[in-house]
Amino acid sequence: MELNLTGKTALVVASSQGLGFAIAERLIREGANVMISGRDEEKLRQKASQLESIGLGKVAYQKTDITDINDINRLVKATAETFQTIDLLVNNAGGPPAGSFEDLSDEDWQNSFELNLLSYVRMIRAALPYLKEQGGKILNIASTSIKEPIPGLILSNTFRTGIVGLAKTLASELAQYNILINTIAPGRIATDRISHLDQVNADKLGVDRETIALQSQAGIPLKRYGTPEEFANVAAFLLSDANSYMTGSSFLVDGGMVKAI
């Protein structure tokens, strides 16, 4: 299967670690040019050097707070100026805090809205003029909470589903420009975020994190956590020329964990 990503320009948001970095690395290996971003400039510098060592696509980085609209606009402008265009946009953001309804304040809700939903809206708006020039792909990273609410993650359950509504609507509005937009939802992928959530649950129950991880894996048909590389493989396909007729859809990468149809 030919992905035809060589020479394409991808802006991958929140990509100094975790799933964002895994996608950036996969795209680089396919010959794409990639702009990575995050809040920690030193970490970005290190990760950019790591990606450059692969020796295929070109790499640039930009320090960015995606809750700041001015930072978003600077990131998009820097990407277009560095690589002359933007073909692919990968929206990503750190997960919101865990907690039940009564645990969370108005500030928690507002911060999560700005980080996990409004940043996606703003990023698409800023990148759209470049994507419209010759068509392209938008991929929004969400969570399996878009299909099945996760206990103790009400913020994710609320705002991640908003991403799906956004993408489904934009699929119709942007099709005239040959822009495809989809949502990809990770299940229990072995990242720092999952380690953190396992630790939160372990602290609540007074057990060690490994116990929680084993219990969680037992509920996954494949009996293990996924790897960032497995997740990135699906993302690369959705961003590639091999995907030419899927838009407005949501795809789970969860080892069969979600029981919803």
Side-chain angles (χ1 to χ4, degrees), residues 5-25:
L5 287 166
T6 300
K8 296 287 182 68
T9 294
L11 168 52
V12 186
V13 181
S15 45
S16 64
Q17 62 184 10
L19 299 179
F21 180 76
I23 292 173
E25 181 176 21

Side-chain angles (χ1 to χ4, degrees), residues 22 43 57 76 79 116 121 127 131 150 154 167 170 179 191 202 208 210 218 227 238 243 248 251-252:
K43 181 183 286 187
V76 170
T79 305
N116 298 113
V121 173
L131 293 167
I150 301 172
I154 189 171
L170 288 180
I179 297 172
T191 62
D208 60 81
E210 182 63 21
T227 68
L238 291 170
N243 169 28
F251 300 90
L252 302 184

Side-chain angles (χ1 to χ4, degrees), residues 77-232:
K77 182 179 180 181
T79 305
E81 289 180 348
T82 302
F83 299 117
Q84 286 71 60
T85 187
I86 298 175
D87 302 297
L88 314 170
L89 170 63
V90 180
N91 271 320
N92 185 31
S100 63
F101 182 76
E102 292 183 307
D103 295 331
L104 301 167
S105 65
D106 278 4
E107 184 179 13
D108 293 322
W109 282 94
Q110 184 65 36
N111 290 342
S112 183
F113 166 66
E114 293 181 5
L115 177 65
N116 298 113
L117 183 55
L118 186 58
S119 70
Y120 285 39
V121 173
R122 287 170 164 172
M123 195 68 67
I124 293 169
R125 183 189 295 131
L128 194 54
Y130 303 100
L131 293 167
K132 286 169 66 174
E133 288 178 2
Q134 52 191 7
K137 305 277 180 25
I138 301 170
L139 186 61
N140 295 326
I141 299 178
S143 161
T144 56
S145 60
I146 66 173
K147 291 291 186 180
E148 186 175 63
I150 301 172
L153 290 180
I154 189 171
L155 294 174
S156 178
N157 298 339
T158 301
F159 295 115
R160 303 295 199 187
T161 51
I163 291 171
V164 176
L166 172 68
K168 195 66 175 178
T169 304
L170 288 180
S172 296
E173 294 187 8
L174 301 183
Q176 62 182 309
Y177 306 113
N178 196 30
I179 297 172
L180 278 59
I181 178 170
N182 289 293
T183 302
I184 183 170
R188 308 290 287 184
I189 309 294
T191 62
D192 290 343
R193 167 70 172 172
I194 292 302
S195 294
H196 169 72
L197 293 176
D198 282 350
Q199 189 63 58
V200 169
N201 289 329
D203 292 343
K204 285 181 179 178
L205 297 174
V207 299
D208 60 81
R209 182 165 58 86
E210 182 63 21
T211 297
I212 295 297
L214 291 173
Q215 290 175 352
S216 179
Q217 290 169 27
I220 300 171
L222 292 182
K223 303 302 180 188
R224 63 178 177 85
Y225 288 166
T227 68
E229 292 76 18
E230 289 174 313
F231 181 82

Side-chain angles (χ1 to χ4, degrees), residues 65 68-75:
D65 176 356
D68 185 331
I69 190 170
N70 294 317
D71 267 18
I72 285 175
N73 291 334
R74 280 190 287 267
L75 172 61

